[in-house]
Amino acid sequence: ILGSAAYADAANVLAPLVLAHFFLVFAYLLDGAYYVKRRTDVKPWVAGAATLVMLLAYYLLIPEWGAQGAAWATLIGFVFLCGLNLLVAHRYFAVVIEYRRLIALISMAMAVGAISRVLDFSVLSFFVKCAAYLAFVVAAWYFVARDDERQFVVAMRDQAIVRLSAAFGRS
């Protein structure tokens, strides 16, 4: 069962890997600058530099800390990729980044993660974790999302309902 003690060993590497993938996705979003300015020739250089940093981090961290070292090396590599991509992409196309909102979302996600880490694998803890995840979504909706983003989500929901109703013969 998900959330049982069988997953306890994975908990040690899960937090840095989830955070690492946040930075990877952020780096992917920054890639848009290369496409807009038709400078995709720059991407392999940025990716190559990040790969070297990650390989060095693997070399240094895995022998001492095993899977935990690999997870942290992955985080280091993706943070480097994101940072370098941010610097280089801005040379070609200025990407506006709302740092306050990003920091708010990351902080809320870290709070949920911290709550999850201190709880055991009981049924009560499972419901507390679910409540924390729900609180994250509600807080993001009311305190981080802008009005236009909320309107977009509501419009997408309404469109999905119409399509699902049509697909299942209800109108």
Side-chain angles (χ1 to χ4, degrees):
I1 297 175
L2 185 60
S4 70
Y7 290 86
D9 290 340
N12 293 330
V13 297
L14 198 57
L17 288 177
V18 169
L19 188 57
H21 282 84
F22 167 81
F23 284 100
L24 178 62
V25 169
F26 193 14
Y28 285 159
L29 293 173
L30 292 168
D31 281 351
Y34 305 128
Y35 295 112
V36 168
K37 293 298 184 174
R38 300 181 192 271
R39 290 303 312 263
T40 54
D41 59 307
V42 177
K43 285 182 47 121
W45 294 102
V46 172
T51 300
L52 289 175
V53 167
M54 194 177 299
L55 288 173
L56 177 63
Y58 285 149
Y59 177 78
L60 294 173
L61 299 178
I62 290 175
E64 182 72 25
W65 290 289
Q68 184 77 15
W72 285 100
T74 301
L75 175 60
I76 290 167
F78 288 163
V79 167
F80 182 84
L81 173 66
C82 185
L84 185 58
N85 218 5
L86 185 62
L87 292 173
V88 175
H90 270 275
R91 295 185 67 204
Y92 298 104
F93 186 82
V95 179
V96 177
I97 300 167
E98 299 178 68
Y99 288 105
R100 277 191 198 153
R101 294 175 70 205
L102 278 174
I103 290 169
L105 286 172
I106 292 170
S107 299
M108 291 186 320
M110 289 174 69
V112 169
I115 290 168
S116 294
R117 296 279 294 180
V118 299
L119 297 173
D120 60 9
F121 296 103
S122 68
V123 174
L124 177 61
S125 292
F126 174 77
F127 286 110
V128 170
K129 290 177 187 181
C130 289
Y133 298 141
L134 181 61
F136 171 82
V137 171
V138 170
W141 180 261
Y142 285 106
F143 301 116
V144 180
R146 295 187 315 249
D147 285 339
D148 62 314
E149 293 167 334
R150 285 191 288 270
Q151 289 170 1
F152 176 79
V153 170
V154 168
M156 293 301 290
R157 180 206 62 197
D158 293 346
Q159 186 179 26
I161 290 170
V162 167
R163 287 184 179 181
L164 288 171
S165 295
F168 291 105
R170 298 180 184 129
S171 45

